[in-house]
Amino acid sequence: MDLLDSSNPEIYTIRTTAPGPTGALPLSGSFLKDSPSGNVFGWTQNAGMGLDPARLGRPEFLMLSTAGGIRNPDGTPKALGFHTGHWEVALLMEEAAATFTAHGAIPFAAFCSDPCDGRTQGTTGMFDSLPYRNDAAIVLRRLVRSLPTAAGVLGIATCDKGLPAMMMALAGSGHLPGILVPGGVTLLSEEGEDLAKVQSIGARFAHDEITLARASETACKSCGSPGGGCQFLGTAATAQVVGEALGLTLPHAALAPSGSEAWRDLARRSALALLHQREAGTTLSGILTEASIRNALVLHAAFGGSTNLILHLPAIAHAAGLPRPTVADWKAVNQRVRRLVDSLPNGPHGYATVQVYLAGGVPEVMLHLRDHGLLDLEAPTVSGRPLGANLEWWERSERRRTFRAKLTELDGIDPDDVIRPPGRSFSSTVTFLEGNLAPDGAVVKSTAIDPSLLDSAGVFLHEGPARVFPSEEAAIASIKSTGDDRIREGDVLVLAGLGPLGAGMPETYQVTSALRYLQAGKHVAVLTDARFSGVSTGPCIGHVSPEALAGGPLGKLRDGDPIRIRIDTRTLDGRADFTGDPAELAARPVHPDLAPDPRLPADTRLWAALQNASGGPWGGCVYDADAIAASLGS
């Protein structure tokens, strides 16, 4: 085949002119005299794209989404997206667009797709995972500002970085009415494993704990439906919960099953809510308040959410011009609020996110929190009513009764086993650690530590030798090994040099999932300056600060060093300590193999420097323009 030219004669059927759109723009003299030329040119472009000129002048609403891939009309792929989380969300845009049009408005659509943290686990794609969030938020905000005639913005997103980015973009568009539509969750597979467990099949196969045939089959069948975020309460699902807790969504929006009529209906009602916001003069700056942030912290604790929200919620607050929640804020909330939700990966049963939705989702959890005085009920929401009024509606709604009954009908599950009343609650979610290995702090999702590892007082204690790895690849090789270099029970697996400066602060779920599903892994602790997926379980301590390449003591450890980890899951206090001579540790040089990953992109190095000048991971990895300018002396 000759690639330089085509054998198709139709390519020469071509023209240089064509009739313009019919009709005339409904211009007025004052519009032409007083409007920017861009507004006039925009109308020309609208007509050029086929809009009936008679509709011009109606309110314009911008829909933003993270949609990816190209679907055929029957739903099969013409071109794949990166993940199920953005595969179907364009359908939500179609529903919202039809609603805007039916109510006399003009919808616009723009897109900024997102990566898959599952697809990039253990790969160099993880270098871009967290930095992408800031980049996407910038792009989405620029798209909002690029339609200066927009009367409001509707954001649709689902997964780990796209959804926090969308919320940051909405928070930074406070002058406009706005609303969030979470993209929902995928269904459980009737044959395969859930999407958390299936990511460990490589390690399990290496240790003869799963056959090749079983691994091949279960890996094929783990997605129960083609759209939505993963079936566990990881970062994607937690971000949906937080979006609803912030008041950015309509009630019972988080965790809807992707593709269902309930999911489509949410998009239609959200478009209507945005139209009502415009009529009422309500803007996003009136929705996002300090009370909203406090409520989000409480819901995060009650759900037992991903520790990645410790990065994302401060970033949303910063974008809204609100004070960023501090470590002290997180700690205080978790000491006050017990976990009420039994979902993957926390357990003890580990229900899927769609089952949490049917049990009542966010508003059902809020009812319990309300009754114990843990919520600010005056916080505004996009429904046009304060949170307290939404909960009064939910409590007596037919929607609540029907969905909860549906869970029992479909799966034989008591909704009160999924969302527990406070009398049957679990210990709190997150413990912040100190110690001579984490002088500026570290974090562990203590609610996900196996209860059999705790003593009668709820304390986890692990003392063992360090196994130091300067890369995730080296750690995984040791975990999969059956030789002398294998990870052994009692080890403390130290992943150093994976903070923002070293590797972009990747998720290391590949490590934690492998350990979770290996027999010896239950008795191995992890200590790292990287971060974890929301589905990580076990004594996995992340965000260790300062990071190794910023002078943190983690970077001075050697194989065999004695380490002691103590986590009190009831008081939420903990320590990670080197139990040898601390003066000797301080005098050591940095581990000889420790260095920034040579594959780290320049884009990510720039992100690492900018977020470091803006407060680092504990400040949300944001770009604080004032702090950056001050550090540059400008």
Side-chain angles (χ1 to χ4, degrees):
M1 180 180 178
D2 190 344
L3 299 180
L4 298 181
D5 204 352
S6 170
S7 60
N8 179 7
E10 295 300 318
I11 68 170
Y12 300 110
T13 303
I14 200 165
R15 60 192 300 175
T16 59
T17 63
T22 59
L25 302 185
L27 298 173
S28 66
S30 60
F31 183 85
L32 285 175
K33 288 179 182 178
D34 301 331
S35 297
S37 64
N39 288 7
V40 179
F41 185 72
W43 280 19
T44 299
Q45 290 290 293
N46 295 348
M49 288 183 279
L51 185 73
D52 182 352
R55 294 182 58 199
L56 291 169
R58 298 179 181 184
E60 299 173 354
F61 289 88
L62 175 61
M63 303 181 301
L64 295 174
S65 94
T66 54
I70 305 173
R71 299 170 75 258
N72 286 310
D74 64 358
T76 57
K78 183 170 290 186
L80 288 166
F82 289 170
H83 55 101
T84 60
H86 65 208
W87 179 243
E88 290 186 330
V89 295
L91 300 176
L92 294 173
M93 298 186 89
E94 292 178 12
E95 298 287 354
T99 301
F100 285 129
T101 300
H103 287 78
I106 300 175
F108 284 72
F111 306 85
C112 179
S113 196
D114 56 347
C116 176
D117 282 356
R119 185 181 292 272
T120 57
Q121 289 290 336
T123 76
T124 55
M126 259 295 152
F127 293 156
D128 294 293
S129 170
L130 187 52
Y132 160 87
R133 184 206 66 182
N134 286 13
D135 295 344
I138 290 170
V139 169
L140 291 166
R141 282 194 295 262
R142 291 190 189 281
L143 288 171
V144 172
R145 295 192 293 268
S146 296
L147 187 66
T149 52
V153 58
L154 182 148
I156 303 173
T158 305
C159 281
D160 290 26
K161 302 304 177 300
L163 182 50
M166 186 67 74
M167 288 191 280
M168 290 167 66
L170 291 173
S173 305
H175 62 293
L176 288 171
I179 196 167
L180 177 70
V181 181
V185 299
T186 191
L187 302 181
L188 281 171
S189 168
E190 295 174 353
E191 301 92 1
E193 298 174 346
D194 68 76
L195 289 167
K197 186 175 183 179
V198 76
Q199 294 185 56
S200 68
I201 58 173
R204 283 186 283 152
F205 175 74
H207 285 263
D208 297 321
E209 295 183 14
I210 188 172
T211 66
L212 182 60
R214 175 60 181 157
S216 300
E217 184 177 3
T218 194
C220 179
K221 296 183 176 181
S222 288
C223 292
S225 55
C230 293
Q231 303 122 332
F232 48 82
L233 195 72
T235 307
T238 306
Q240 293 188 36
V241 167
V242 163
E244 186 167 340
L246 287 168
L248 288 175
T249 78
L250 292 176
H252 203 219
L255 315 181
S258 182
S260 68
E261 183 56 27
W263 176 80
R264 293 172 180 269
D265 175 72
L266 173 65
R268 295 190 288 266
R269 288 186 294 108
S270 295
L272 288 173
L274 189 54
L275 291 166
H276 285 299
Q277 280 185 51
R278 176 180 177 270
E279 292 173 3
T282 304
T283 63
L284 283 161
S285 62
I287 299 294
L288 284 171
T289 63
E290 292 187 48
S292 307
I293 302 296
R294 290 194 298 271
N295 285 342
L297 286 165
V298 170
L299 264 294
H300 178 274
F303 268 79
S306 166
T307 55
N308 276 323
L309 270 293
I310 295 170
L311 299 171
H312 300 321
L313 191 55
I316 296 165
H318 178 263
L322 299 169
R324 288 178 267 182
T326 64
V327 171
D329 295 327
W330 286 99
K331 187 171 184 178
V333 167
N334 276 272
Q335 287 175 331
R336 206 169 76 248
V337 181
R338 292 175 63 82
R339 178 167 65 96
L340 303 180
V341 180
D342 181 349
S343 65
L344 289 166
N346 296 333
H349 182 280
Y351 296 101
T353 43
V354 66
Q355 293 167 329
V356 178
Y357 175 80
L358 290 176
V362 171
E364 190 67 22
V365 174
M366 283 181 164
L367 287 183
H368 296 307
L369 298 170
R370 177 200 66 181
D371 293 344
H372 284 73
L374 293 168
L375 293 174
D376 189 326
L377 301 177
E378 296 303 315
T381 74
V382 293
S383 74
R385 297 187 285 185
L387 177 61
N390 287 348
L391 294 181
E392 289 175 7
W393 162 79
W394 172 259
E395 189 169 25
R396 58 180 183 268
S397 69
E398 181 62 30
R399 182 185 183 95
R400 179 191 183 213
R401 289 189 294 275
T402 301
F403 274 120
R404 283 168 60 84
K406 185 68 70 173
L407 179 59
T408 304
E409 173 191 331
L410 292 173
D411 297 340
I413 295 171
D414 183 344
D416 289 337
D417 287 339
V418 181
I419 297 174
R420 302 282 192 97
R424 297 173 56 209
S425 63
F426 308 100
S427 58
S428 297
T429 309
V430 176
T431 297
F432 293 91
L433 291 82
E434 300 173 338
N436 61 25
L437 290 177
D440 290 347
V443 66
V444 63
K445 193 174 180 181
S446 48
T447 192
I449 297 175
D450 189 324
S452 68
L453 299 176
L454 309 180
D455 66 17
S456 59
V459 173
F460 169 81
L461 182 64
H462 184 103
E463 295 181 277
R467 289 292 307 279
V468 181
F469 299 95
S471 72
E472 189 178 2
E473 291 92 338
I476 283 292
S478 184
I479 290 170
K480 291 183 176 180
S481 173
T482 56
D484 291 341
D485 63 337
R486 69 186 183 277
I487 290 290
R488 292 175 167 83
E489 286 190 15
D491 285 347
V492 178
L493 193 157
V494 177
L495 271 172
L498 273 69
L501 297 173
M505 203 177 184
E507 282 187 356
T508 54
Y509 178 62
Q510 183 184 206
V511 169
T512 59
S513 68
L515 290 172
R516 178 184 182 186
Y517 294 106
L518 295 183
Q519 292 176 3
K522 178 178 177 179
H523 300 285
V524 175
V526 178
L527 200 58
T528 182
D529 50 6
R531 60 194 175 90
F532 297 119
S533 164
V535 76
S536 291
T537 58
C540 305
I541 300 163
H543 299 223
V544 174
S545 300
E547 64 175 295
L549 287 171
L554 205 67
K556 297 185 176 186
L557 290 175
R558 304 290 192 273
D559 281 354
D561 279 343
I563 294 178
R564 183 175 189 267
I565 296 169
R566 184 182 185 279
I567 301 167
D568 189 323
T569 63
R570 296 180 185 172
T571 65
L572 304 186
D573 291 313
R575 292 186 63 86
D577 290 298
F578 168 75
T579 57
D581 181 356
E584 186 268 330
L585 179 68
R588 286 183 190 175
V590 171
H591 192 289
D593 296 333
L594 204 64
D597 194 301
R599 300 166 296 177
L600 197 66
D603 304 341
T604 301
R605 290 170 52 209
L606 177 61
W607 164 83
L610 293 175
Q611 66 84 38
N612 193 53
S614 306
W618 295 109
C621 292
V622 300
Y623 297 156
D624 185 328
D626 292 337
I628 293 168
S631 70
L632 294 174
S634 58

